[in-house]
Amino acid sequence: MAEAGRAAEERSSPQSVRSRGRWALLAVWGPGLVVMLADTDAGSLITAAQSGAQWGYRMVLPQLILMPILYVVQEMTVRLGIVTGRGHGALIRERFGRGWAWLSAFTLFASAIGALLTEFVGVAGVGELFGVSRWVSIPIATAMLLALALTGSYRRVERIGPAVGAAELAFLVAMVMARPQLDALLAGLSSMPLGNSSYLLLVAANVGAVIMPWMIFYQQGAVVDKHLSAATIRQARYDTATGAALTQLIMIAVVLTVAATIGNHQEAAPLHTVGQIANALTPYLGKLGGTVLFGLGMLGAALVAAIVASLAGAWGLSEVFGWQHTLNQRPNRATAKFYITYALAHVVGAALVLGSVDLVNLAVDVEVMNALLLPIVLGLLLVLEAHALPEQWRMSGVRKYTTRALCLVVIAFGLYMVPQALGWR
């Protein structure tokens, strides 16, 4: 505890970001925006589209409720990373031992590989929309992602990530073109048929699509790799809050776009692939809105999420096993295991997709799996926040109880959904 406090004080030295002036604090921004844009990955967007198609405007309220939950979860990772100077896996190993570290590594591995599968299928689907074979689009995307990390610069990743992810803003344009009906939206906001098992399972998928285990590992590792000081925590919170609001606006935009078009004309229509979603939107939004905007938005989401999910996996596993890991050094003998893990994640994901892995139900299943892993992930996060931080950096008062209540609701929901997700009821 004392060491963590001293580490925080050292990172608050006169050379910290605060001493360089208010405008220099903009340098703090990045990890939150990158991880949140990656949060709206191909699997999440397909889940949102499925939600709008099957349940229309009744899936908007869950997205609004998830916005503050997403923020409080990721804000805890920011404080843990900045104050302790340790990544998530490393903290778990130090505090709870190798057994819990291995368990956390399992949740990370499962969620990161699941995410990579949906990202590469998203890339393949967008390529096929424009007549490009997956045997061309997937290898090109893999080569680009590997080249990005092998340059040995976290700053470059942080710049390219938001630039690529900005393509997701196309969904906001598509939402405007879809012209959602205000009266139907208001009616949907007042209706959540939680007694319906199909609706509840899709809500679980949306929970897992918004709060993903690998996001916790990534953002905590990113603020450590960026060497942020304790003086920057407020700005890091703004970064995280902005990202949380933006990612949920994009998810809501997809739900509204599909609800106002497909969901309004084809009640409970199942959607499973990028091409199917785009083709279904084309009669209502035209070729531009249905194919170009949706395709570009999906491509941006898939690429930025592939970067983040694979980095989260490589960072987290390196922390658990005690390997040296950083993006601020080019590959060398010391960092070889970290970079090999990053590269293998892409190669395996690409190979599985090229081996004709079908996206039918895959995206929703991956997100449901994430929701089922959250009791473990959030439980460890809450315990770390309460015990790994010096007392002055822990939550207190209303904020503490509100955050814990929100996390416990998600944990309870995840546990409640286990029997249904496994077909036991």
Side-chain angles (χ1 to χ4, degrees):
M1 191 77 70
E3 291 179 2
R6 285 195 296 273
E9 290 175 5
E10 288 172 5
R11 287 189 292 278
S12 300
S13 66
Q15 275 65 41
S16 69
V17 177
R18 173 178 287 176
S19 68
R20 294 195 297 271
R22 180 177 299 176
W23 293 108
L25 288 176
L26 292 176
V28 174
W29 286 56
L33 287 174
V34 171
V35 77
M36 296 303 183
L37 285 172
D39 185 26
T40 46
D41 67 347
S44 298
L45 295 175
I46 291 171
T47 300
Q50 187 83 302
S51 300
Q54 294 191 318
W55 292 98
Y57 299 107
R58 285 171 287 186
M59 272 295 180
V60 175
L61 184 56
Q63 300 294 344
L64 291 172
I65 294 172
L66 284 168
M67 191 181 296
I69 299 176
L70 175 60
Y71 168 74
V72 298
V73 168
Q74 293 303 124
E75 188 275 338
M76 282 190 281
T77 72
V78 168
R79 278 184 292 116
L80 283 167
I82 291 177
V83 175
T84 68
R86 296 283 190 276
H88 197 66
L91 266 185
I92 292 174
R93 188 183 73 243
E94 291 173 8
R95 288 281 167 173
F96 309 125
R98 287 192 175 274
W100 286 105
W102 275 84
L103 181 60
S104 70
F106 164 74
T107 65
L108 170 64
F109 177 80
S111 64
I113 293 299
L116 274 173
L117 282 177
T118 63
E119 312 326 336
F120 279 119
V121 175
V123 170
V126 172
E128 290 168 357
L129 272 178
F130 297 98
V132 180
S133 167
R134 68 175 61 186
W135 291 93
V136 175
S137 60
I138 294 297
I140 290 176
T142 303
M144 289 173 54
L145 293 167
L146 291 176
L148 176 61
L150 295 178
T151 57
S153 171
Y154 173 74
R155 186 179 296 275
R156 185 171 290 111
V157 171
E158 195 173 87
R159 288 173 178 171
I160 293 176
V164 173
E168 296 178 49
L169 298 178
F171 293 120
L172 299 179
V173 179
M175 178 188 67
V176 174
M177 294 175 66
R179 298 180 181 178
Q181 299 176 339
L182 181 59
D183 55 343
L185 173 58
L186 293 175
L189 289 174
S190 63
S191 174
M192 285 182 65
L194 296 177
N196 186 299
S197 60
S198 176
Y199 179 85
L200 206 58
L201 192 63
L202 207 44
V203 169
N206 278 277
V207 171
V210 172
I211 306 169
M212 302 183 188
W214 54 260
M215 293 172 61
I216 293 171
F217 284 85
Y218 177 85
Q219 192 165 2
Q220 190 164 334
V223 297
V224 172
D225 220 38
K226 201 170 181 181
H227 305 296
L228 296 184
S229 71
T232 67
I233 286 181
R234 176 174 293 183
Q235 288 296 320
R237 284 171 175 159
Y238 294 156
D239 175 36
T240 302
T242 301
L246 181 59
T247 188
Q248 286 308 96
L249 286 176
I250 292 172
M251 288 287 282
I252 290 170
V254 175
V255 173
L256 290 177
T257 300
V258 178
T261 53
I262 305 168
N264 195 35
H265 295 85
Q266 304 172 29
E267 187 85 22
L271 300 169
H272 304 293
T273 67
V274 175
Q276 189 179 1
I277 296 169
N279 291 334
L281 287 173
T282 299
Y284 311 108
L285 303 183
K287 191 72 173 178
L288 173 65
T291 301
V292 177
L293 289 180
F294 199 89
L296 289 178
M298 184 68 72
L299 182 62
L303 289 177
V304 71
I307 296 169
V308 174
S310 53
L311 279 177
W315 262 327
L317 292 177
S318 296
E319 290 164 1
V320 169
F321 294 118
W323 303 336
Q324 184 172 332
H325 55 286
T326 178
L327 274 185
N328 292 318
Q329 293 180 18
R330 292 180 182 275
N332 54 43
R333 182 172 296 181
T335 59
K337 293 179 180 178
F338 164 71
Y339 279 106
I340 289 172
T341 302
Y342 174 84
L344 281 178
H346 285 91
V347 172
V348 170
L352 289 173
V353 173
L354 289 174
S356 299
V357 174
D358 195 349
L359 191 58
V360 175
N361 292 323
L362 176 62
V364 174
D365 288 344
V366 167
E367 310 310 351
V368 171
M369 176 196 69
N370 285 337
L372 301 185
L373 294 174
L374 286 177
I376 299 172
V377 176
L378 294 186
L380 288 171
L381 181 63
L382 287 172
V383 174
L384 283 175
E385 198 281 337
H387 297 285
L389 290 172
E391 188 171 354
Q392 68 267 32
W393 293 110
R394 298 175 195 165
M395 296 181 295
S396 61
V398 174
R399 179 180 161 209
K400 178 177 73 174
Y401 294 113
T402 301
T403 297
R404 288 182 178 177
L406 291 173
C407 290
L408 288 174
V409 167
V410 175
I411 290 172
F413 181 66
L415 293 173
Y416 175 78
M417 289 303 299
V418 168
Q420 181 174 334
L422 297 180
W424 296 346
R425 68 179 182 205

